[in-house]
């Protein structure tokens, strides 16, 4: 009630995917579940407790607001939480008091951390991010000696929990030279730090793609996002995985099913346009079903005249332009559809399935973007 569509999340798929990821990882490698972007659209408050129930104890987010939501969604506080991106200096007090780990990648944050941790008389759990060639965030390696000196002088209030970097596109073979040279630079820095002997951080560089393509990059911890939701980063990564593991099927399972219902049905005579503009013209008597989902719900406007939905187990065409809050589906060839009939936008119905990836192939959005566009206020329901 009081919503036009809803999203089901499959608990058995979560369990399956967590096991899948554990099987990919070396014995002592920690799995950090990346739940930024509202857990890739699945809903932080819905996904994290499920992941927790199936054994996940390490979570990574982009920013402090997401960290707060993860923290509040997990009641027993046995988890480690890592902020990989944005945290304001004013939020550092909260992070330090709650033992939340966070990246430092520039001096201002490091100095503010030292100052605040000293005042609180607590240790801040920091991960030092190094710039190895992605050219995003991270300390320049030329500054490493000075940086380590500053850290060493402040070990009363700093605990160096991690040394990390991020690979600039391990999902495409075209980036092979770039990411392997990043890894080489990272290992040089690792040697320097290991020789110091005064800290034992976790070294981490890999996301889903690097974890699969370059197992040596798993190091102490991997930050895995997209795989846990049942998707490979790219088709290429899937092919690589299947070839390497001598398998011919992908055993990851999609968590999400997105459903709505028919709101109205009408018959349009031949020779009429449907909806706004002139993009769809009926060349025969056409029955249409209106569906209460449009681009304001994350159903991309680029799926106008392209999208497919399932009704009564049949794949049916979206016709005309996607509106802000509705769209039309051609049901001419299906008998017996009535107002209130279930419509599947993503997921399975009887024998047919609409996967996020097939959907995104023709809308030219990658899985990541399509998932994270699903609005937070569509209710999420946990199913078996
Ligand atoms: C998003 C992100 C990841 C996870 O990437 P996936 O491809 O979804 O596994 C890992 N590390 C960082 C720094 C990220 O921002």
């Amino acid at each position: 009630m009081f919503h036009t569509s809803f999203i089901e999340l499959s608990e058995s798929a979560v369990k399956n995917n967590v096991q899948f990821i554990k099987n990919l990882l070396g014995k002592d490698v920690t799995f950090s579940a990346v739940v930024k972007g509202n857990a890739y659209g699945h809903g932080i408050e819905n996904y994290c407790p499920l992941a927790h129930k199936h054994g996940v104890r390490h979570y990574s987010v982009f920013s402090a607001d997401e960290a707060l939501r993860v923290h509040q969604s997990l009641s027993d506080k046995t988890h480690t939480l890592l902020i990989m991106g944005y945290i304001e200096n004013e939020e550092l007090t909260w992070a330090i008091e709650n033992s939340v780990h966070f990246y430092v990648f520039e001096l201002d944050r490091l100095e503010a951390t030292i100052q605040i941790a000293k005042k609180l008389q607590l240790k801040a759990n920091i991960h030092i991010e190094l710039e190895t060639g992605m050219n995003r965030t991270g300390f320049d390696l030329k500054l490493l000696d000075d940086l380590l000196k500053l850290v060493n002088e402040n070990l009363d209030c700093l605990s160096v929990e991690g040394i990390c970097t991020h690979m600039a596109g391990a999902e495409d073979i075209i980036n092979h030279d770039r990411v392997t040279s990043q890894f080489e630079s990272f290992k040089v820095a690792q040697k320097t730090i290991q020789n110091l002997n005064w800290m034992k951080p976790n070294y981490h560089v890999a996301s889903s793609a690097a974890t699969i393509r370059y197992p040596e990059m798993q190091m102490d911890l991997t930050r895995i996002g997209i795989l846990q939701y049942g998707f490979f980063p790219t088709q290429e990564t899937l092919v690589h995985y299947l070839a390497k593991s001598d398998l011919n099927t992908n055993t990851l399972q999609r968590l999400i099913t997105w459903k709505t219902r028919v709101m109205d049905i009408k018959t349009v005579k031949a020779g009429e346009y449907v909806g706004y503009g002139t993009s769809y013209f009926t060349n025969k008597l056409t029955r249409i079903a209106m569906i209460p989902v449009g681009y304001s719900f994350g159903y991309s406007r680029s799926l106008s005249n392209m999208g497919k939905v399932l009704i009564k187990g049949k794949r049916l065409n979206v016709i005309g332009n996607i509106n802000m809050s509705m769209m039309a589906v051609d049901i001419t060839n299906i008998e017996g559809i009535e107002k209130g009939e279930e419509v599947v936008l993503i997921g399975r119905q009887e024998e047919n399935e609409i996967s996020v990836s097939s959907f995104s192939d023709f809308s030219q959005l990658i899985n990541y973007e399509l998932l994270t566009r699903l609005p937070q206020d569509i209710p999420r329901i946990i199913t078996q």
Side-chain angles (χ1 to χ4, degrees), residues 34 36 40 84 103 136 166 207-208 223-226 368:
V34 178
K36 65 178 191 253
Y40 291 43
M84 307 183 292
Y103 277 28
R136 195 165 72 169
H166 191 55
S207 58
S208 297
R223 308 179 304 256
I224 299 212
I226 197 85
Y368 293 84

Side-chain angles (χ1 to χ4, degrees), residues 37-96:
N38 198 26
Y40 291 43
H42 292 69
I44 283 178
E45 289 76 9
N46 311 91
Y47 179 72
C48 292
L50 281 182
H52 186 87
K53 186 168 164 194
H54 294 287
V56 178
R57 289 293 179 276
H58 200 294
Y59 298 85
S60 294
V61 293
F62 174 70
S63 52
D65 60 308
E66 294 173 334
L68 179 62
R69 287 174 57 200
V70 175
H71 206 57
Q72 288 171 342
S73 74
L74 296 174
S75 50
D76 73 7
K77 313 295 180 215
T78 54
H79 56 274
T80 303
L81 194 46
L82 171 60
I83 298 171
M84 307 183 292
Y86 192 61
I87 176 167
E88 289 185 37
N89 289 352
E90 294 89 273
E91 294 162 339
L92 286 170
T93 304
W94 173 80
I96 296 168

Side-chain angles (χ1 to χ4, degrees), residues 152-207:
N152 192 23
E153 287 162 3
N154 289 285
L155 289 177
D156 56 325
C157 64
L158 294 176
S159 172
V160 184
E161 296 290 322
I163 305 287
C164 51
T165 195
H166 191 55
M167 296 298 165
E171 62 276 10
D172 287 316
I173 192 73
I174 199 162
N175 300 322
H176 175 77
D177 287 351
R178 186 169 175 204
V179 299
T180 46
S181 111
Q182 281 189 271
F183 192 50
E184 290 313 311
S185 306
F186 187 79
K187 282 195 298 189
V188 172
Q190 182 188 25
K191 274 243 156 53
T192 309
I193 296 168
Q194 279 169 337
N195 286 337
L196 294 173
N197 257 333
W198 48 259
M199 55 175 167
K200 293 266 176 294
N202 284 310
Y203 293 89
H204 54 101
V205 304
S207 58

Side-chain angles (χ1 to χ4, degrees), residues 267-280:
T267 303
V268 182
K269 61 181 195 285
E272 294 277 322
Y273 294 109
V274 174
Y276 286 120
T278 53
S279 79
Y280 192 86

